Amino acid sequence: MALELAELVTAAKAGDRKAFEELVRATCADTYTLAYRLTGKEEDAQDVMQEAYFRAWKGLKRYRGDAAFTTWMYRITANCASSHLSRRTRDRHDSLDEDHVLVDDRLDSDPQARVGAASERERLQAALQSLSPEMRSVVILRDVYDLPHEVIAAELGISEGAAKVRLHRARRKLRERLFPLRGEDSEERDAHAV
Amino acid sequence: MRCEQVAEILPDVVEGTGGASSHVFAHVESCLRCQAELAQYRKLLRALRHLRTEVLEPAPGTVTGILAYLEAAGERGAMRSLLAGHRAAYLGGIAVATAAAGAAGAIVVASRGKRKVRLAG
């Protein structure tokens, strides 16, 4: 599969449009999955995907093959999703507060909904969607897709330090939501000195 | 160290690259609460990494739509190149015509100058 992709990339770089179309077909599910996870909406994911492949086609000659083509596509997709979400936020005149949450919190407040989202995976998806887009992007790119901090920072247009801070906060929020410790609901933490 | 201080570092410690000091690990080793919290972070990280194996399929027609968009964008690009080529040819023509006119003017001026010299002689 990887070899086939490499051959397609070589042909596409030489200007073979059909080869690029094959590349799109071969990688579209992966690209869509990331776009959907970053944006949280089908329609946005499709817009991001379209923009990502357009940029890939235009920039294919600059792809040197240092990383896998799919990793290169992840970077482009992350960059497109970041631009898309910034644009959307600006359009809606929303604040850029990192703690701003775009989805409802039914799982926290509604016991029925908690029972409905039975599987751990569904709870994880819901918890990810409850994060702000800024925090969600960083934790997905780092902990799901294993991209290095410097790459994440570059594609999101932030400093590496800011990326690490967002990751730290995102992990803490997810852990508190999915795996709360005893007494954490009351936000009381016993202090144990050692 | 206190649990509050350690808890601040645990989200980074879980990855193993947090650069935590030996004091942090010494605290975790002797504190059941922080051990439990670290274990929960590890559980979270495992769950997130497992998501990587899940691939979502885009709605039918998505890929066709993207390819059509790329095709249209390619045609627009080709049209722009063509127009840019025409514009370059047009500007090139003007430049050549201007240069030719300039050269002709210079020849005329020079030949008149020579004629005047002859007349004076």
Side-chain angles (χ1 to χ4, degrees), chain B residues 83-120:
Chain B
L83 289 174
H86 283 168
R87 202 177 305 133
Y90 177 69
L91 292 174
I94 290 175
V96 169
T98 308
I107 291 167
V108 169
V109 170
S111 60
R112 277 184 186 168
K114 279 179 188 169
R115 224 175 286 150
K116 276 180 190 168
V117 170
R118 274 190 210 129
L119 285 172

Side-chain angles (χ1 to χ4, degrees), chain A residues 4-147:
Chain A
E4 283 173 28
L5 275 188
E7 286 167 358
L8 288 173
V9 170
T10 306
K13 279 179 86 167
D16 184 341
R17 201 171 183 86
K18 288 283 170 208
F20 188 75
E21 286 182 12
E22 281 306 307
L23 270 178
V24 174
R25 287 184 210 284
T27 58
C28 68
D30 272 335
T31 306
Y32 173 76
T33 303
L34 175 58
Y36 184 78
R37 287 202 174 118
L38 294 176
T39 60
K41 286 188 179 174
E42 165 102 30
E43 195 181 316
D44 289 339
Q46 290 189 358
D47 288 347
V48 166
M49 212 177 152
Q50 182 171 285
E51 178 66 18
Y53 280 116
F54 179 63
R55 284 199 209 171
W57 171 245
K58 277 173 64 182
L60 196 58
K61 285 199 162 55
R62 288 195 300 275
Y63 170 62
R64 296 190 306 271
D66 300 340
F69 179 76
T70 45
T71 306
W72 188 66
M73 275 309 299
Y74 290 151
R75 292 186 63 163
I76 297 175
T77 307
N79 188 286
C80 289
S82 175
S83 308
H84 186 84
L85 291 171
S86 304
R87 222 168 22 241
R88 199 177 65 181
T89 308
R90 262 200 317 276
D91 290 347
R92 288 182 184 175
H93 306 287
D94 281 346
S95 82
L96 282 168
D97 179 2
E98 285 193 7
D99 288 326
H100 180 65
V101 173
L102 294 173
V103 296
D104 69 24
D105 261 346
R106 285 180 311 129
L107 289 178
D108 279 343
S109 57
D110 183 357
Q112 275 313 93
R114 195 191 288 255
V115 171
S119 78
E120 189 177 283
R121 180 166 289 202
E122 283 171 350
R123 289 180 63 229
L124 179 58
Q125 303 275 20
L128 282 169
Q129 292 307 316
S130 77
L131 295 175
S132 68
E134 291 84 1
M135 275 199 263
R136 187 169 64 235
S137 299
V138 174
V139 79
I140 285 175
L141 294 172
R142 177 69 205 142
D143 290 343
V144 181
Y145 288 87
D146 203 27
L147 293 186

Side-chain angles (χ1 to χ4, degrees), chain A residues 17 20-21 25 28-30 32-33 36-37 42 46 49-50 53-54 74 120-121 124-125 128 142-145 168 171-172 174-175 178-179 181-182 189-192 194, chain B residues 1-4 7-8 11-12 14-15 27 30 33 36-37 40-41 43-45 47-59 62-63 66-67 69-71 73:
Chain A
R17 201 171 183 86
F20 188 75
E21 286 182 12
R25 287 184 210 284
C28 68
D30 272 335
Y32 173 76
T33 303
Y36 184 78
R37 287 202 174 118
E42 165 102 30
Q46 290 189 358
M49 212 177 152
Q50 182 171 285
Y53 280 116
F54 179 63
Y74 290 151
E120 189 177 283
R121 180 166 289 202
L124 179 58
Q125 303 275 20
L128 282 169
R142 177 69 205 142
D143 290 343
V144 181
Y145 288 87
H168 178 100
R171 281 178 181 164
R172 192 159 62 181
L174 289 174
R175 205 274 303 149
L178 293 166
F179 308 111
L181 298 170
R182 190 181 296 171
R189 174 178 284 278
D190 295 332
H192 303 275
V194 173
Chain B
M1 284 191 93
R2 296 169 66 86
C3 290
E4 295 99 321
E8 276 301 311
D12 306 319
V14 67
E15 204 180 356
H27 173 95
S30 60
R33 186 187 171 92
E37 190 167 347
Q40 300 293 53
Y41 275 115
K43 213 166 149 184
L44 170 67
L45 208 60
L48 284 166
R49 286 186 178 150
H50 193 64
L51 268 188
R52 182 70 184 81
T53 59
E54 185 190 76
V55 177
L56 310 172
E57 285 296 330
T62 304
V63 174
I66 289 170
L67 295 179
Y69 175 77
L70 292 177
E71 181 92 36

Side-chain angles (χ1 to χ4, degrees), chain A residues 138 149-150 152-153 156 158-168:
Chain A
V138 174
H149 291 289
E150 62 268 26
I152 295 169
L156 300 185
I158 55 176
S159 69
E160 207 175 314
K164 285 181 179 173
V165 168
R166 284 184 190 179
L167 178 67
H168 178 100

